[in-house]
Amino acid sequence: MNDDELNQIAMSMLMYSGHAKKILSEILDQLSNSVEKQDHTENLSTAYNWLKKAHIEQNKIMQHAQQLQYSVLLTHAQDTLMNTETIYFIVKRFIPIILNSKK
């Protein structure tokens, strides 16, 4: 894998993770601004699918991990992916808590 391929995949990881993060942020905004209960299942599923795409891209890189040079862009992409996964985990767990508190 050459540097251009690595950078392209890292950018895809950033883009996919960014889409997921935006959706998760919108869910949090809806939860904090709405007094009505809303079903967030579809948005969570969409965010999860973006994260899955980012992982698929990461797996392409990991197949060549032994031959790769250090890349700040890849490090940033992996960090963004891990942080977005953490946000997903927290949002998914907090939705029922927040919705139950609005009873």
Side-chain angles (χ1 to χ4, degrees), residues 25-96:
S25 178
E26 289 170 355
I27 291 172
L28 286 176
D29 288 343
Q30 291 168 0
L31 287 168
S32 63
N33 296 327
S34 176
V35 291
E36 297 178 14
K37 286 188 175 185
Q38 297 177 348
D39 185 9
H40 299 283
T41 307
E42 185 177 332
N43 286 340
L44 275 175
S45 178
T46 302
Y48 177 80
N49 287 332
W50 283 116
L51 287 171
K52 204 159 82 171
K53 286 182 179 192
H55 266 288
I56 289 168
E57 294 299 307
Q58 179 178 254
N59 288 342
K60 290 176 187 176
I61 292 171
M62 292 302 109
Q63 294 172 0
H64 305 280
Q66 297 296 329
Q67 297 89 20
L68 295 177
Q69 296 293 323
Y70 176 75
S71 165
V72 172
L73 184 61
L74 176 59
T75 301
H76 175 53
Q78 289 181 307
D79 183 54
T80 300
L81 174 57
M82 289 186 301
N83 284 321
T84 306
E85 287 177 316
T86 300
I87 294 167
Y88 174 83
F89 175 84
I90 291 169
V91 168
K92 187 174 179 182
R93 299 309 187 276
F94 268 87
I95 288 174

Side-chain angles (χ1 to χ4, degrees), residues 5 9 11-12 21 32 46-47 71 78 81 99 102:
E5 292 170 322
I9 291 172
M11 289 302 295
S12 293
K21 191 174 185 178
S32 63
T46 302
S71 165
Q78 289 181 307
L81 174 57
L99 292 178
K102 292 185 178 190

